[in-house]
């Protein structure tokens, strides 16, 4: 199958992302300042760049773990059924947990994942998403921290892919078919 040609228009610069992360991390440190160890849970794969930048701005004792939930596959439509493809390595009972996601779209993924993790009785459970598309919401879910609200555009870069490509762009761009 031949790929439909597209270009990527820059939407959020690397500099703007870095500045936003600094502000968010001050708020997260204020919230979790008394923690003995915060478990930072990245949702694979889209959050890997965000979590890497985030933890380096967090002056807290942390551990990092990952969880993978099913999402788009290689298409641009979100699936409503969320499956856990890879679970956490560690237990979170009695621990402080911060879930890190790339984008909240319909809300199904984070809604499902936070319910699942809450059922394991963490001490505190919070979530952060780099991007949010509020106009696309199907379930009532809002992350505790959001980097940027964006319109209903298909975005790539900064860890986020289109058919597994473009994750290595340092900025967030929107896909425009030509
Ligand atoms: P939700 O369950 O909230 O509908 O979907 C969240 C997931 O959909 C995100 O983790 C992300 O993988 C994917 N997603 C939503 N919007 C976009 C987008 O604009 N670009 C890409 N590449 N993935 C998206
Ligand atoms: Mg995802």
């Amino acid at each position: 199958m031949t790929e439909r040609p597209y270009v990527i228009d820059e939407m959020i610069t690397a500099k703007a992302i870095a500045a936003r992360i600094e502000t968010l991390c001050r708020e997260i440190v204020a919230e979790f300042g008394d923690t003995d160890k915060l478990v930072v849970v990245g949702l694979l794969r889209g959050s890997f760049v965000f979590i890497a930048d985030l933890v380096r701005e967090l002056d807290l004792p942390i551990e990092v773990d990952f969880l993978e939930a099913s999402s788009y596959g290689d298409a641009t439509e979100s699936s409503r059924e969320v499956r856990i493809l890879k679970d956490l390595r560690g237990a979170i009972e009695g621990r402080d947990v911060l879930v890190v996601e790339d984008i909240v779209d319909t809300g199904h993924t984070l809604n499902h994942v936070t319910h699942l993790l809450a059922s394991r009785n963490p001490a505190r459970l919070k979530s952060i998403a780099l991007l949010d598309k509020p106009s696309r919401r199907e379930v009532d879910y809002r992350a505790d921290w959001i980097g940027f609200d964006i319109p209903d555009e298909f975005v790539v870069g900064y860890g986020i892919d289109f058919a597994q490509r473009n994750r290595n762009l340092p900025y967030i761009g929107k896909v425009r078919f030509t």
Side-chain angles (χ1 to χ4, degrees):
M1 211 178 92
T2 53
E3 261 183 54
R4 223 177 126 191
Y6 62 92
V7 294
I8 296 167
D9 298 326
E10 189 175 53
M11 191 180 193
I12 307 172
T13 65
K15 207 174 156 190
I17 296 169
R20 184 71 186 121
I21 287 176
E22 270 190 42
T23 305
L24 291 166
C25 285
R26 276 197 292 274
E27 294 177 22
I28 294 166
V29 169
E31 171 73 30
F32 287 110
D34 60 342
T35 193
D36 1 302
K37 212 187 277 164
L38 177 67
V39 186
V40 182
V41 172
L43 298 199
L44 293 171
R45 283 170 266 180
S47 73
F48 83 102
V49 175
F50 183 37
I51 196 173
D53 281 348
L54 200 67
V55 295
R56 283 179 290 175
E57 285 291 330
L58 280 181
D59 189 14
L60 292 173
I62 66 148
E63 261 179 37
V64 175
D65 206 340
F66 292 97
L67 185 147
E68 185 173 11
S70 63
S71 66
Y72 279 178
D74 286 351
T76 55
E77 280 308 307
S78 188
S79 85
R80 274 123 192 95
E81 194 199 298
V82 179
R83 284 178 307 129
I84 302 301
L85 302 177
K86 182 208 168 293
D87 205 339
L88 299 178
R89 288 289 293 275
I92 55 165
E93 187 170 355
R95 308 289 301 276
D96 291 327
V97 177
L98 177 66
V99 181
V100 181
E101 172 65 311
D102 54 356
I103 309 178
V104 187
D105 187 39
T106 63
H108 290 286
T109 305
L110 259 191
N111 190 48
H112 181 91
V113 167
T114 52
H115 275 95
L116 172 73
L117 298 185
S119 74
R120 298 176 185 177
N121 300 313
R124 274 179 291 191
L125 177 64
K126 300 278 182 189
S127 60
I128 180 168
L130 178 67
L131 304 173
D132 192 350
K133 298 180 186 173
S135 67
R136 296 258 309 160
R137 202 66 93 254
E138 292 176 9
V139 290
D140 185 22
Y141 186 86
R142 182 87 178 160
D144 296 290
W145 291 281
I146 299 287
F148 302 89
D149 278 344
I150 59 166
D152 181 12
E153 302 277 3
F154 192 80
V155 297
V156 294
Y158 198 72
I160 302 165
D161 73 302
F162 178 31
Q164 300 306 326
R165 294 180 60 181
N166 309 120
R167 291 192 196 272
N168 54 330
L169 288 177
Y171 55 86
I172 298 284
K174 61 182 175 189
V175 170
R176 180 163 52 87
F177 291 99
T178 52

